[in-house]
Amino acid sequence: MNEILITSVRVIDLRFPTSRDHIGSDAVNKDPDYSAAYCILETNSALEGHGLTFTLGRGTDLVVQAVRYLSRYVVNRSLSSITDDFCAFSRQLTDDTQFRWLGPEKGVIHLATGALLNAVWDLYARAEKKPLWQLLADMEPAQLLKAIDFRYIDDALTPEEALDILNKARGNGKSQRGQIVREEIGWTNKLMVDANQKWGVLEAIERTRQLAALKPWWMEEPTSPDDILGHARIRREVPEVRIATGEHCHNRVMFKQLLQAGSIDVLQLDSCRVGGVNENLATLLMAAKFNVPVCPHAGGVGLCEYVQHLSAFDFLSVSASIENRVIEFVDHLHEHFLTPVQIRNGHYLLPTEPGYSIQIREQSLTRFAYPTGEVWNESKE
Ligand SMILES: [Mg+2]
């Protein structure tokens, strides 16, 4: 096969006017227009790589610009030059000598990094004619490790320990699968409570205690997502309720500390907030080492489409368990995707199309592009 060369990057500011119906609003996000900074890697072949990062309304402006700036690192690169040393590529994005100041590895610049890295993974999976979860599960453990940046986390998880986890899951995974699925049949409904960062630590302790009577399966984002020790204190003082967070956790270092500090019972990674698949591989492995189940954050635009691959890979190759693991699901905006998630009987069905399931239909890209799309012009009076 000829070498795939990335020739250009199209970046689209995509916004859905969800605030008109207050869809997705919560305690702090009062008028969210669910949006995406969307990028398409164009190549010298018929293949494209699609990626997005989820954001809200006006914020999309900034993320789109950041994706455009970072595009310089993929244009005129061959796909194999990236995938042969994926960690070096992710470092190029996160270590840009002038953008690093804006993070490092957090905020707008990291959201943009996630969109681009995910687009490269989508292209890679399409080139290999596999859905992403399968591409990951089929990769040799040593090859997977080459995609992970262990800098800043090797005091919690060494490459050798990560390799052990992957090898062990390989040995166990297959025999456990049928048994686990059987055990899981007959789940009763569970109640999860999401505070969306509303409270200070003391109020969170008090309210979580009150809510304990309802026996919630977990309490989510009880306080500032940056407060690692605050979460640990809430968890310590209200041991009867499991504490969950992660959708606003901006990188693997913070996840490391949440785990080391004993702050969480449930780790809710996000597919876009961190540096794409690469950084999420690090997070999945750390969670496995600390024996904390991963229940990805989803909803938004395309987050369900993305995280289904990460959870499938977690089950097949890392934790080898679905015990206490669920994926968030919100049933809207899926119609814009070429291969939307499929849910049956409360379960995600494994995607089978090659890629990362994130391609948005061309007509949606046109209709919802901001500010030129028809949906935004209708609203201007
Ligand atoms: Mg939440």
Side-chain angles (χ1 to χ4, degrees):
M1 190 164 104
N2 287 336
E3 185 143 66
I4 294 167
L5 183 76
I6 299 166
T7 51
S8 60
V9 180
R10 264 171 78 198
V11 187
I12 298 165
D13 179 331
L14 201 62
R15 303 188 196 183
F16 301 91
T18 44
S19 67
R20 291 177 195 168
D21 303 311
H22 305 290
I23 292 169
S25 61
D26 61 43
V28 297
N29 299 293
K30 301 207 183 295
D31 59 346
D33 280 330
Y34 276 20
S35 304
Y38 191 90
C39 61
I40 303 171
L41 310 183
E42 294 174 323
T43 69
N44 61 342
S45 72
L47 288 176
E48 293 177 340
H50 291 245
L52 62 76
T53 197
F54 173 61
T55 178
L56 293 182
R58 292 185 293 279
T60 320
D61 267 346
L62 300 178
V63 187
V64 160
Q65 275 311 321
V67 176
R68 289 204 175 110
Y69 281 127
L70 288 177
S71 294
R72 70 181 69 183
Y73 291 111
V74 293
V75 174
N76 293 326
R77 289 281 301 264
S78 67
L79 178 61
S80 62
S81 79
I82 295 174
T83 56
D84 285 351
D85 194 348
F86 230 132
C87 180
F89 174 68
S90 84
R91 279 240 186 138
Q92 266 193 314
L93 298 178
T94 56
D95 271 1
D96 176 294
T97 49
Q98 298 192 351
F99 291 131
R100 188 182 156 82
W101 187 260
L102 305 182
E105 301 185 51
K106 65 175 77 69
V108 167
I109 200 69
H110 213 41
L111 290 168
T113 299
L116 269 179
L117 273 169
N118 284 338
V120 172
W121 278 99
D122 180 63
L123 178 62
Y124 186 21
R126 289 171 194 244
E128 298 292 320
K129 299 188 174 56
K130 292 175 182 176
L132 181 90
W133 63 265
Q134 194 184 358
L135 173 75
L136 293 171
D138 288 350
M139 279 166 81
E140 286 301 319
Q143 197 189 355
L144 270 171
L145 293 192
K146 283 177 68 182
I148 297 172
D149 191 346
F150 283 92
R151 181 176 58 168
Y152 307 141
I153 59 170
D154 56 6
D155 54 320
L157 177 77
T158 64
E160 295 71 32
E161 290 173 321
L163 192 63
D164 264 6
I165 291 170
L166 291 166
N167 284 332
K168 210 174 284 167
R170 273 199 158 186
N172 297 337
K174 291 193 175 65
S175 61
Q176 284 183 2
R177 220 171 297 168
Q179 192 191 336
I180 292 166
V181 170
R182 265 199 300 279
E183 279 172 14
E184 291 304 320
I185 295 168
W187 267 9
T188 49
N189 289 327
K190 294 184 166 74
L191 170 71
M192 288 89 99
V193 182
D194 187 349
N196 282 299
Q197 316 162 13
K198 184 74 177 161
W199 308 315
V201 172
L202 298 179
E203 187 178 1
I205 290 169
E206 192 188 318
R207 293 200 183 248
T208 306
R209 259 193 209 129
Q210 289 163 359
L211 286 163
L214 295 173
K215 296 203 182 309
W217 199 42
W218 70 51
M219 167 59 78
E220 176 171 335
E221 288 202 305
T223 189
S224 162
D226 291 355
D227 194 349
I228 294 162
L229 299 181
H231 280 86
R233 179 168 173 193
I234 297 164
R235 182 166 176 260
R236 222 173 30 243
E237 296 200 18
V238 198
E240 62 273 36
V241 178
R242 296 157 76 232
I243 302 301
T245 196
E247 67 180 81
H248 274 77
C249 180
H250 39 237
N251 59 41
R252 67 195 179 290
V253 181
M254 216 177 145
F255 274 123
K256 177 188 80 172
Q257 293 197 6
L258 282 164
L259 292 165
Q260 287 175 322
S263 304
I264 50 173
D265 299 280
V266 178
L267 187 152
Q268 300 177 296
L269 59 76
D270 182 279
S271 51
C272 302
R273 185 169 297 282
V274 300
V277 174
N278 307 61
E279 199 161 26
N280 271 321
L281 293 176
T283 302
L284 287 171
L285 283 157
M286 284 192 291
K289 177 173 168 186
F290 285 83
N291 206 17
V292 169
V294 174
C295 299
H297 168 239
V301 182
L303 302 183
C304 302
E305 275 71 17
Y306 268 151
V307 295
Q308 58 182 338
H309 291 271
L310 301 176
S311 281
F313 170 71
D314 179 32
F315 173 58
L316 290 172
S317 302
V318 183
S319 68
S321 172
I322 54 173
E323 196 184 350
N324 283 336
R325 287 160 175 85
V326 293
I327 308 177
E328 198 168 3
F329 175 70
V330 184
D331 193 8
H332 74 134
L333 302 175
H334 299 290
E335 66 277 18
H336 300 294
F337 290 85
L338 222 54
T339 53
V341 286
Q342 291 186 62
I343 303 290
R344 197 166 300 159
N345 298 331
H347 292 71
Y348 278 76
L349 299 188
L350 269 182
T352 53
E353 298 289 326
Y356 202 178
S357 305
I358 207 67
Q359 183 168 356
I360 287 186
R361 295 172 182 281
E362 199 58 48
Q363 61 264 40
S364 299
L365 290 179
T366 311
R367 186 168 153 73
F368 293 92
Y370 184 87
T372 53
E374 154 193 354
V375 75
W376 293 105
N377 289 307
E378 279 165 6
S379 65
K380 281 183 189 151
E381 267 141 49

